[in-house]
Amino acid sequence: AEAVSAAEATGPVTLPPPPAAPHDVARLAAGDVAEPHALLGAHPAMADGIAGILVRTWHPDAERAECVAEGGRVIPMHAEGRGLFGVLL
């Protein structure tokens, strides 16, 4: 089956991010990551056959995080554990 974008699936949607590799999260928490952007920031990704943009952020002291999209739409991010938050747009 051909992938569809998150926006094409049912209009603007958000999904939980695909899981981050536990060893990458542990290295990030320990400050032992040479290229944090490999895990953090915005990247093309797929979840459940839906193509979108994965946005992740690291806030170890936060209880929640939000992504502000173009036009000012505020999108809650999903807590992935150990201070990692993400959303698939």
Side-chain angles (χ1 to χ4, degrees):
E2 189 171 319
V4 297
S5 74
E8 293 170 334
T10 58
V13 297
T14 62
L15 298 171
H23 67 274
D24 288 339
V25 177
R27 290 183 66 204
L28 185 65
D32 184 28
V33 178
E35 296 290 333
H37 184 64
L39 182 62
L40 304 175
H43 303 278
M46 290 193 65
D48 297 328
I50 297 176
I53 301 297
L54 169 62
V55 180
R56 278 200 172 107
T57 189
W58 176 253
H59 291 285
D61 295 329
E63 293 181 14
R64 63 186 180 94
E66 299 170 331
C67 178
V68 180
E70 186 175 352
R73 180 174 162 222
V74 176
I75 303 163
M77 299 179 84
H78 300 268
E80 296 186 63
R82 300 187 74 175
L84 188 64
F85 295 86
V87 65
L88 184 73
L89 307 173

